[in-house]
Amino acid sequence: AKRIKTLSVSRPIIYGNTAKKMTGVRPPNAPVEHTHMWTIYVKGPQGEDLSTFIKRVVFKLHDTYPNPTRSVETPPFELTETGWGEFEINIKIHFIDEANEKMLNFYHHLRLHPYKQGENPVVKKESSGEEPITEVESVFYDEIVFNEPNEDFFKILMNS
Ligand code: SLL
């Protein structure tokens, strides 16, 4: 017998962080003990515009940061900071009102250091030549599954 599957729509995302050691250039307001600059992000694997269904992404940083709850309301849903240590970043993805969906709540371990030679850390050669900058990246793929979306939201998902 053929089984009737309930309707669900999934959308791929990637989330994670890039980081690199700060060399010569530092943001003027960066505390002296900060050694790295990093960016945490939520985005579409092919650069899709996630704002068609995501209203905001809230990144909750370590309590050592001033105003650790950072809300990003427009794409790109990313945040760049400086720091010295790795920690768990709490990510909350809030969907547009039409979705009538609960937010997604998960964690990403902010990665600053290369752990293994030749593995993930990508050595990017500066286009100008001279010093190679070692950028580490920790990135994960996931699919957001909307089960039985309401009609309005379904239309929005299908038209984007
Ligand atoms: C821990 N892994 O769990 C450590 C915490 C905290 C990182 C690392 C700078 C914050 C600031 C920063 O990198 N904090 O602006 O002072 O205890």
Side-chain angles (χ1 to χ4, degrees):
K2 195 171 187 297
R3 293 214 281 157
I4 300 166
K5 286 189 188 143
T6 56
L7 176 68
S8 69
V9 179
S10 70
R11 286 290 173 266
I13 60 160
I14 58 174
Y15 65 91
N17 81 278
T18 57
K20 55 177 188 261
K21 250 190 212 157
M22 290 192 283
T23 48
V25 200
R26 309 170 55 87
N29 53 338
V32 282
E33 65 274 19
H34 286 194
T35 50
H36 290 72
M37 182 175 288
W38 50 260
T39 300
I40 177 96
Y41 57 81
V42 174
K43 61 187 180 190
Q46 313 290 339
E48 298 91 333
D49 179 12
L50 301 185
S51 69
T52 55
F53 60 94
I54 292 178
K55 181 166 74 173
R56 82 171 161 271
V57 177
V58 179
F59 300 103
K60 169 75 170 63
L61 309 182
H62 195 268
D63 287 328
T64 48
Y65 282 90
N67 313 311
T69 304
R70 310 286 176 87
S71 182
V72 183
E73 322 265 338
T74 50
F77 297 109
E78 63 176 38
L79 174 76
T80 298
E81 257 293 358
T82 60
W84 52 263
E86 300 191 346
F87 59 92
E88 303 302 312
I89 296 180
N90 175 228
I91 302 174
K92 289 187 166 80
I93 298 181
H94 296 261
F95 300 106
I96 58 172
D97 296 339
E98 291 88 336
N100 202 17
E101 288 276 347
K102 272 201 303 195
M103 64 171 178
L104 274 184
N105 186 21
F106 58 99
Y107 287 83
H108 172 72
H109 181 87
L110 177 71
R111 179 179 182 184
L112 301 185
H113 304 287
Y115 299 150
K116 225 183 186 182
Q117 214 174 9
E119 197 206 21
N120 205 0
V122 183
V123 179
K124 283 192 181 164
K125 198 115 172 80
E126 284 272 65
S127 47
S128 54
E130 297 158 31
E131 224 192 316
I133 35 164
T134 314
E135 187 178 77
V136 298
E137 179 160 37
S138 173
V139 58
F140 297 88
Y141 175 92
D142 209 342
E143 278 173 25
I144 303 180
V145 180
F146 300 106
N147 287 313
E148 298 180 19
N150 69 57
E151 207 175 317
D152 284 355
F153 189 44
F154 180 74
K155 279 184 196 154
I156 290 169
L157 287 169
M158 289 302 110
N159 291 325
S160 61

